[in-house]
Amino acid sequence: MRIKEILPDLTARFESAGIDEPATDARALVAFAIGKTPVFLRMNPDFEIEPDQLAQIKDFAARRLKREPVSKITQTRGFWRLDFKVTKDVLDPRSDSETLVEEALKLFQDRSLPLNILDLGTGSGCLAQALLCEFINARAVGLDSSAPALAVARENAAANGLSGRFETVLADWNESGWARDLETFDLIVANPPYIAESEKKNLDPEVVDFDPPQALFAGPDGLDAYRQIVPALPSLLKKNGVFITEFGKGQHDDVRDIVRRAGLRFHAFGTDLGGIIRCLSAFC
């Protein structure tokens, strides 16, 4: 079977199943199965797909039709200027979270600064490692309550050539004293869980069935993680250190109030590409 035969069929099946961007997903999965790029598919429509490759495409298609994300099938997601391995143990990085990196670059314009960075709930390590990619003399600690997630983060650091400046800490901010043994930091970033438990029924299967629930849900109003994290920040941030955190649509005022009650100085909100207020920055 040739590329120009399988792609329209796969696209139609994905479209019938109500999958967003069916053509993009079809191209990505076919390209991954045959070890080529989506551009190669466009340039070589008559390329013959081998039987073993066809079997792989069928397996990938079946998984996608069960709403498994393409990134979890290929175990790869691009974030900032890097590629990250993603598994069932880590949150799939979203482009909205790049807003945190952009805010950090606004606040620390000297890229040569030897920043000490803490990434709370590091997951795949995408935020910390994107920052290390920009701040060439910085070092970062990725904290997470999941040992499997930290293993993925360390694997990503090795693949991205950042192992020498990235380390991990296993800790759970739900437990008292979680921050006791940590040093102090110039910059703390966080993309904590912020979805209310009641919103679970409204989530796409790609999210609720394939991202770890502890990275998604945070109590009845989605704000529990901020209530646990933020009070510890004055002891973790250096003088004039910066905290940048992500949150969900419409949560900005509540998170700002939590930050102010902890004694931090609110600085600014940051908006994502869709114009949604996605993060805030504050100073110690």
Side-chain angles (χ1 to χ4, degrees):
M1 183 173 284
R2 292 175 293 178
I3 287 173
K4 68 181 182 182
E5 296 168 328
I6 197 167
L7 272 181
D9 175 68
L10 196 55
T11 299
R13 291 171 64 196
F14 287 171
E15 187 172 15
S16 295
I19 291 173
D20 292 338
E21 300 184 338
T24 299
D25 287 3
R27 284 194 298 271
L29 292 177
V30 171
F32 184 68
I34 68 174
K36 304 292 184 180
T37 67
V39 173
F40 177 89
L41 305 188
R42 293 191 183 95
M43 299 297 294
N44 299 273
D46 290 313
F47 181 83
E48 284 281 351
I49 298 172
E50 299 292 333
D52 60 329
Q53 295 173 334
L54 186 59
Q56 187 74 82
I57 291 169
K58 289 180 178 178
D59 175 65
F60 290 163
R63 291 167 64 181
R64 185 68 188 104
L65 288 167
K66 292 178 181 177
R67 306 304 289 269
E68 185 173 355
V70 169
S71 59
K72 292 293 173 73
I73 295 172
T74 63
Q75 292 203 328
T76 303
R77 169 71 81 175
F79 182 86
W80 202 246
R81 295 192 286 117
L82 302 171
D83 287 329
F84 290 88
K85 177 179 180 179
V86 292
T87 70
K88 62 181 178 60
D89 297 305
V90 300
L91 187 72
D92 194 349
R94 272 76 169 180
S95 58
D96 291 341
S97 299
E98 293 183 351
T99 306
L100 278 71
V101 182
E102 293 168 353
E103 291 302 306
L105 294 177
K106 292 176 186 176
L107 291 170
F108 297 96
Q109 296 188 13
D110 183 354
R111 306 292 179 87
S112 66
L113 288 171
L115 298 177
N116 199 20
I117 300 169
L118 175 63
D119 179 12
L120 293 172
T122 196
S124 66
C126 64
L127 280 177
Q129 293 172 37
L131 289 166
L132 291 179
C133 182
E134 296 295 333
F135 297 102
I136 58 173
N137 294 315
R139 56 180 295 273
V141 174
L143 181 147
D144 208 288
S145 62
S146 166
L150 291 178
V152 174
R154 289 191 294 271
E155 188 174 341
N156 281 326
N160 289 320
L162 298 169
S163 291
R165 297 192 287 132
F166 178 79
E167 61 182 286
T168 58
V169 170
L170 182 65
D172 187 345
W173 59 58
N174 292 295
E175 299 176 0
S176 61
W178 65 271
R180 186 179 301 124
D181 297 327
L182 295 173
E183 53 194 305
T184 56
F185 299 89
D186 303 288
L187 171 63
I188 297 177
V189 294
N191 179 18
Y194 53 72
I195 301 174
E197 295 283 353
S198 61
E199 291 297 312
K200 184 175 182 179
K201 62 182 181 298
N202 299 323
L203 297 178
D204 291 335
E206 286 85 348
V207 176
V208 73
D209 293 339
F210 295 97
D211 276 334
Q214 67 270 22
L216 296 174
F217 303 106
D221 61 359
L223 299 172
D224 281 3
Y226 304 103
R227 298 186 182 103
Q228 293 159 333
I229 291 169
V230 173
L233 295 181
S235 66
L236 291 175
L237 283 167
K238 296 178 182 179
K239 182 176 175 57
N240 295 319
V242 176
F243 173 56
I244 304 176
T245 189
E246 181 172 337
F247 41 73
K249 183 178 181 180
Q251 292 180 323
H252 53 284
D253 286 336
D254 290 327
V255 177
R256 179 175 57 185
D257 289 344
I258 293 171
V259 165
R260 282 175 167 168
R261 284 198 297 270
L264 300 183
R265 292 173 286 133
F266 169 76
H267 173 67
F269 289 123
T271 57
D272 62 23
L273 292 176
I276 295 170
I277 300 176
R278 182 61 60 185
C279 72
L280 66 75
S281 55
F283 290 94
C284 183

